[in-house]
């Protein structure tokens, strides 16, 4: 018999025999039985502080990103009793503008890097882009897993690229976007989650928001199960970020509830649970203050 590769050896420690149906049933049960418990003002305040306020448009410009960042500065003055957003997420070319404009302590500057959203670039290009983003002030990097290589079974390329990107980040946190809508099955999502964590991800993230299928509760459930098993195996805590398609406060409550039920209270801080969105910030703010508000 052929020897296992190091990647097969790593994966062998985890339960990858999961079916889409069992995941769907588990998620349906959580939503039906648990979400209503978390539909409270306190949870909505917490969720506001977990938002990664994101602008990843083709039309982004120095002026629009500057105004975007100023909104975060102004929020702290306008709503001093509410938690500020966790992060501002932009393209790497805007890292310097955000870092020079942002005045609020505790807000991270995340950059999508490594040929976002396709990840279809030479690794040398990906790592240079990442190093430049960090030099310009990025405190976190969001990279996209090489989905094509993963689906071809080329785990060596997938893991090697993540490791090299992590090296380019230095001491900054790195999120690996799995693009779960392209992975097809719960088993694939769990496999990709384990490989990303094994290779150095500090967070795993569902989606870029640029594909037809973005974040889903089912993908979130599988990823949280993977994080839980990885923590039990290694003692290393990994963060979770749903992104793409978070369009309502109920969406946010569902993801919060999945994290709470699968991972527990230890993950319910804005260090370990983030939500990538732009439209959700105003919706959460409106619910917290009790009237329709369009601040961001």
């Amino acid at each position: 018999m052929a020897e296992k590769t190091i990647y097969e050896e790593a994966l062998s420690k985890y339960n990858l025999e999961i079916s889409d149906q069992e995941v769907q049933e588990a998620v349906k049960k959580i939503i039906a039985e648990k979400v209503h418990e978390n539909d409270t003002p306190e949870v909505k305040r917490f969720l506001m502080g977990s938002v990664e306020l994101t602008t990843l448009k083709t039309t982004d410009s120095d002026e629009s990103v500057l105004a975007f960042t100023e909104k975060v500065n102004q929020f702290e003055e306008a709503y001093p009793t509410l938690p500020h957003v966790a992060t501002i997420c932009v393209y790497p070319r805007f890292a310097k503008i955000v870092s020079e404009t942002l005045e609020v302590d505790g807000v991270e500057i995340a950059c999508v890097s490594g040929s976002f959203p396709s990840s279809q670039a030479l690794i040398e290009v990906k790592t240079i882009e990442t190093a430049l983003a960090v030099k310009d002030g990025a405190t976190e990097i969001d990279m996209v897993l090489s989905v094509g290589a993963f689906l071809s079974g080329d785990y060596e390329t997938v893991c090697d690229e993540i490791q090299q990107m992590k090296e380019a980040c230095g001491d900054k946190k790195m999120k690996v976007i799995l693009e779960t809508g392209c992975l097809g099955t719960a088993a694939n999502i769990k496999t990709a989650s384990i490989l990303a964590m094994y290779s150095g991800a500090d967070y795993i993230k569902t989606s870029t928001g640029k594909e037809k299928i973005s974040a889903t509760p089912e993908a979130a459930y599988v990823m949280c199960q993977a994080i839980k098993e990885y923590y039990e195996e290694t003692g290393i805590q990994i963060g979770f970020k749903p992104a793409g398609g978070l369009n309502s406060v109920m969406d946010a409550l569902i993801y919060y509830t999945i994290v709470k039920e699968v991972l527990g209270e230890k993950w319910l801080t804005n260090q370990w649970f983030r939500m990538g969105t732009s439209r959700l910030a105003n919706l959460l703010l409106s619910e917290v203050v009790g009237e329709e508000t369009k601040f961001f």
Side-chain angles (χ1 to χ4, degrees), residues 13 16 24 47 53 59 70 88 98 100 109 119 126 137 142 203 210 221 230 232 254 271 283 291:
K13 299 173 183 176
L16 302 177
Q24 289 163 5
L47 289 169
L53 201 64
T59 54
E70 285 289 8
I88 295 176
V98 177
E100 291 176 347
I109 302 168
S119 198
K126 295 181 183 184
D142 290 24
Y203 293 77
K210 305 297 186 183
Y221 178 84
Y230 188 79
E232 290 169 350
I254 287 170
Q271 180 180 357
L283 296 176
E291 61 182 8

Side-chain angles (χ1 to χ4, degrees), residues 275-296:
M275 300 183 299
T277 182
S278 50
R279 60 179 67 88
L280 194 54
N282 283 326
L283 296 176
L284 283 166
L285 179 59
S286 297
E287 294 249 346
V288 169
V289 301
E291 61 182 8
E292 186 176 358
T293 305
K294 292 183 179 179
F295 184 88
F296 293 104

Side-chain angles (χ1 to χ4, degrees), residues 178-234:
L178 306 184
E179 203 65 284
T180 52
C182 295
L183 296 182
T185 66
N188 274 349
I189 292 170
K190 190 163 188 184
T191 300
S193 297
I194 298 296
L195 290 175
M197 293 186 287
Y198 167 80
S199 302
D202 298 295
Y203 293 77
I204 52 176
K205 174 177 167 181
T206 57
S207 323
T208 62
K210 305 297 186 183
E211 294 288 337
K212 288 181 181 178
I213 302 175
S214 291
T216 65
E218 291 76 17
Y221 178 84
V222 174
M223 291 168 70
C224 288
Q225 288 284 1
I227 290 169
K228 180 181 180 181
E229 289 181 31
Y230 188 79
Y231 180 68
E232 290 169 350
E233 176 68 31
T234 67

Side-chain angles (χ1 to χ4, degrees), residues 23 25-39 43 46-47 217 220-229 232 240 252-269 273:
V23 169
E25 289 171 357
V27 169
K28 188 175 179 181
K29 189 173 193 298
I30 288 172
I31 291 173
E33 297 179 4
K34 298 293 184 179
V35 171
H36 68 278
E37 297 174 6
N38 300 314
D39 190 358
V43 169
F46 165 78
L47 289 169
Y221 178 84
V222 174
M223 291 168 70
C224 288
Q225 288 284 1
I227 290 169
K228 180 181 180 181
E229 289 181 31
E232 290 169 350
F240 172 65
L253 291 173
I254 287 170
Y255 289 113
Y256 173 92
T257 304
I258 289 169
V259 171
K260 182 179 179 182
E261 293 302 313
V262 177
L263 291 170
E265 298 284 344
K266 189 170 184 177
W267 269 262
L268 294 179
T269 76
F273 175 55

Side-chain angles (χ1 to χ4, degrees), residues 63-203:
E63 292 77 18
S64 70
V65 172
L66 182 66
F68 191 74
T69 308
E70 285 289 8
K71 279 290 185 183
V72 176
N73 293 336
Q74 293 159 10
F75 181 85
E76 191 159 66
E77 295 175 19
Y79 298 97
T81 64
L82 297 182
H84 56 66
V85 297
T87 313
I88 295 176
C89 184
V90 295
Y91 283 110
R93 62 167 294 184
F94 300 115
K96 197 167 195 285
I97 290 171
V98 177
S99 66
E100 291 176 347
T101 308
L102 183 63
E103 299 170 355
V104 184
D105 291 337
V107 176
E108 302 291 347
I109 302 168
C111 283
V112 293
S113 185
S115 192
F116 177 95
S118 70
S119 198
Q120 298 287 14
L122 298 169
I123 185 61
E124 293 85 355
V125 174
K126 295 181 183 184
T127 54
I128 290 169
E129 183 181 37
T130 300
L132 289 171
V134 170
K135 180 180 76 70
D136 281 349
T139 61
E140 297 181 352
I141 292 293
D142 290 24
M143 67 160 288
V144 183
L145 175 134
S146 287
V147 176
F150 174 84
L151 293 173
S152 299
D154 184 2
Y155 296 165
E156 182 174 4
T157 292
V158 170
C159 295
D160 183 59
E161 287 196 351
I162 294 171
Q163 289 164 359
Q164 290 192 55
M165 288 286 282
K166 179 60 179 170
E167 286 176 17
C169 289
D171 61 353
K172 308 306 180 190
K173 295 284 180 70
M174 185 177 77
K175 308 183 197 86
V176 176
I177 305 167
L178 306 184
E179 203 65 284
T180 52
C182 295
L183 296 182
T185 66
N188 274 349
I189 292 170
K190 190 163 188 184
T191 300
S193 297
I194 298 296
L195 290 175
M197 293 186 287
Y198 167 80
S199 302
D202 298 295
Y203 293 77

